[in-house]
Amino acid sequence: MPTRLIKRFGDWLGTWRGTCEFSDGRAGLMQFRLTSVFNGEAIQVDTASYIPESGAPMTRGSGFFSLDRQGRVVNNIYADYLGFAVLVETPDDPEVLSLEGGLPGNMTLTVTMSVANDLMTLSSRVGEGYKSAPGRPRTYTQMKRVGPIQRPKGDAP
Amino acid sequence: MTNPLIRLAAWIGDWAGQGEVADGTEILFRMQVSSAAEENAVCFHMESWIGEMQLLHGLRLILAPRPDRSLHCMGFSTRFGMVNLTPTPDDEDVLALAGPTTSGMQLSFSLIQQDADTLIATGMARPQDAPPGFTAAGGTHGTLRRVTPWRPPGP
């Protein structure tokens, strides 16, 4: 019996790659890998971005999705250029996952993700204060799935 | 691997052993330590089992440096939800972590190196609003030894 988390995000599991544009204007290649852990109790998200010309790594990060008692997604994240944060789901369209949380230094991180037609779209924005500033530049990426859908069969090592 | 994590590189690999929880129930431990985020972080995957591999507690942690190079740890626990742990000062051969969970608990976890192939693991949780002097009723401890995956014998 799949967990509520897997019922909602099972189709997101797998590896996704595509081009991205960072908020400072740099171009990059982005990879997301979503893996079920503890039989779907959580989803681990590993991210990496690379310099397009050389393939050298630019940024890396990891995170976990799970559901809180209200059924909202809670996202514990680490990114080498941002540090650590806990993001909580904010209201949005049903097929969209929007997350927001505080960063050190009175900064706020917002992330919006969706999957449609096997294309994962992600945008993120860092702003100052309790709410991220809508006018700020954002990091934007669209990624295609690499390989077949990885349905959860057990825990990944 | 980045400098603050180099001392943990020796722990990378598979570990297994036995332990017990506070009520005396015997458990089996399994832990995998691996590098993560392109060697910028260390991932700890821990499971304790009772009976015929029934999961009692699963804990997966990512330990990594903040932008200011200080270490921090985040992860997911099947019992406590999201956890955020900070290393606490201890001896060089000890990794001691403590911090809050999203379920309102304060989690403490430590790994103590006995020798190159033996680690002592302890874990404890108590409510964040527990009064001073509160004694946590639950706790887990066990001994982990380095293991290597079974391979068929050669010809």
Side-chain angles (χ1 to χ4, degrees):
Chain A
M1 172 82 89
T3 61
R4 281 192 302 160
L5 186 71
I6 294 300
K7 279 182 186 167
R8 184 170 168 196
F9 296 109
D11 288 346
W12 292 24
L13 298 177
T15 302
W16 303 79
R17 288 178 182 157
T19 56
C20 75
E21 184 181 326
F22 287 96
S23 55
D24 60 6
R26 287 180 300 168
L29 300 172
M30 182 73 85
Q31 173 174 289
F32 267 59
R33 179 173 292 136
L34 284 81
T35 317
S36 163
V37 292
F38 301 125
N39 291 321
E41 292 288 324
I43 291 173
Q44 180 167 343
V45 185
D46 295 302
T47 69
S49 67
Y50 304 91
I51 297 170
E53 293 79 17
S54 64
M58 290 173 72
T59 64
R60 318 91 162 168
S62 288
F64 296 96
F65 286 161
S66 77
L67 301 179
D68 67 10
R69 287 174 184 159
Q70 290 78 41
R72 293 176 309 176
V73 172
V74 184
N75 182 201
N76 225 347
I77 68 156
Y78 155 71
D80 59 350
Y81 60 104
L82 291 173
F84 292 82
V86 181
L87 310 181
V88 178
E89 184 171 13
T90 55
D92 209 317
D93 295 336
E95 68 277 12
V96 176
L97 174 61
S98 288
L99 301 156
E100 186 171 271
L103 288 170
N106 193 32
M107 304 298 277
T108 300
L109 171 65
T110 57
V111 178
T112 304
M113 300 173 72
S114 63
V115 171
N117 302 320
D118 244 13
L119 194 68
M120 176 178 282
T121 303
L122 181 143
S123 69
S124 65
R125 179 179 281 134
V126 175
E128 192 169 2
Y130 294 108
K131 291 283 179 186
S132 64
R136 286 229 177 188
R138 61 181 182 163
T139 295
Y140 181 82
T141 180
Q142 278 200 317
M143 295 173 284
K144 289 181 180 170
R145 186 188 296 280
V146 180
I149 295 175
Q150 293 176 10
R151 294 283 184 190
K153 290 175 182 169
D155 293 345
Chain B
M1 189 160 286
T2 52
N3 281 335
L5 297 170
I6 278 177
R7 73 184 179 93
L8 299 177
W11 293 0
I12 287 174
D14 291 1
W15 303 77
Q18 293 172 308
E20 63 178 38
V21 292
D23 65 3
T25 304
E26 291 191 356
I27 56 171
L28 287 177
F29 261 129
R30 181 175 78 99
M31 178 172 78
Q32 289 178 310
V33 185
S34 56
S35 69
E38 304 211 343
E39 303 203 336
N40 206 46
V42 175
C43 177
F44 295 86
H45 178 96
M46 286 164 275
E47 296 183 10
S48 59
W49 302 325
I50 53 174
E52 295 178 347
M53 287 186 71
Q54 182 188 345
L55 184 69
L56 180 69
H57 187 197
L59 182 64
R60 198 170 172 100
L61 301 172
I62 303 278
L63 178 69
R66 293 186 176 110
D68 68 3
R69 309 282 291 165
S70 64
L71 286 178
H72 189 74
C73 185
M74 66 88 185
F76 174 76
S77 156
T78 56
R79 294 180 81 175
F80 306 116
M82 296 299 180
V83 299
N84 270 281
L85 308 175
T86 303
T88 55
D90 214 311
D91 295 337
E92 236 180 50
D93 53 358
V94 177
L95 174 65
L97 303 165
T101 75
T102 51
S103 58
M105 302 294 282
Q106 178 77 12
L107 190 65
S108 305
F109 174 75
S110 62
L111 287 168
I112 304 158
Q113 184 159 12
Q114 291 287 94
D115 58 51
D117 294 321
T118 309
L119 294 170
I120 307 292
T122 63
M124 187 76 74
R126 63 180 176 84
Q128 284 170 17
D129 55 1
F134 174 87
T135 304
T140 305
H141 75 273
T143 303
L144 292 160
R145 292 195 169 78
R146 191 185 293 277
V147 293
T148 52
W150 181 85
R151 288 190 178 85

